[in-house]
Amino acid sequence: MANQLHLEYITSLSAIEWNNWRKENPHIVPDLREANLSKLNLSHFNLKESNLIRANLSETTLIETNLSKADLEKANLMKAYSRDANLSLGKLQDVNLSGAYFISADFSRSCLKGANFQDANCSESFFVTANITFANLRNGIFKGCSFMEANLTN
């Protein structure tokens, strides 16, 4: 269950206010487990190292959002819209990205084991040394992506 204060902040503060709160409280790891963040605009938010396990981020806007080192295991990002998001070093095992739009995203060194990319558009994204084993890539668009040293085995 999400920390209620963190949930209140993420849903009521602007990106600037949230990011300032993060700077003032560097020891706090946002706990947004199982939170319903569907359809929110989280563009430019610093969610680095946040706990978003099983969070609902469907149809969320994540333009230039920092999700590096975040734990998004089993999170729902179905039909999320993102451009230039940083998901590097993230834990995205069994994440649902079906129908999502992640253009120029950085998934480098992330664990995407069992991720669902069905019908997702991840053009121009980076998957350098990412673990994408057992992922569903059916009908996904990966034009211009870098998969250097990524593990794509099933």
Side-chain angles (χ1 to χ4, degrees), residues 2 9 16 21 23 31 39 42 47 52 64 68 73 75 83 88 99 101 105 111 130 141 147-148:
Y9 284 176
I16 291 170
W21 175 74
K23 285 179 189 171
D31 183 355
K39 299 182 182 179
L42 299 176
L47 296 170
L52 291 154
E64 295 182 7
S68 64
E73 186 174 345
R83 192 179 68 250
S88 63
Y101 189 86
C111 178
I141 300 170
F147 289 97
M148 189 177 357

Side-chain angles (χ1 to χ4, degrees), residues 46-148:
N46 177 8
L47 296 170
K48 182 178 181 177
E49 299 178 344
S50 294
N51 183 343
L52 291 154
I53 294 171
R54 290 190 172 96
N56 181 3
L57 294 151
S58 62
E59 300 181 53
T60 301
T61 304
L62 301 162
I63 297 170
E64 295 182 7
T65 303
N66 183 359
L67 288 156
S68 64
K69 298 182 182 179
D71 193 340
L72 288 146
E73 186 174 345
K74 298 183 181 176
N76 180 9
L77 285 103
M78 189 170 137
K79 296 184 180 177
Y81 177 84
S82 175
R83 192 179 68 250
D84 299 315
N86 182 356
L87 296 107
S88 63
L89 296 163
K91 298 174 188 169
L92 293 102
Q93 188 167 333
D94 298 316
V95 70
N96 182 4
L97 293 156
S98 62
Y101 189 86
F102 273 82
I103 302 301
S104 298
D106 187 359
F107 292 96
S108 296
R109 297 178 283 163
S110 290
C111 178
L112 292 150
K113 185 177 179 181
N116 182 5
F117 284 97
Q118 185 166 340
D119 300 314
N121 185 341
C122 295
S123 297
E124 306 297 326
S125 292
F126 297 91
F127 294 89
V128 177
T129 67
N131 179 354
I132 314 171
T133 56
F134 303 104
N136 177 3
L137 306 176
R138 193 171 303 128
N139 298 324
I141 300 170
F142 297 93
K143 182 179 176 186
C145 288
S146 175
F147 289 97
M148 189 177 357

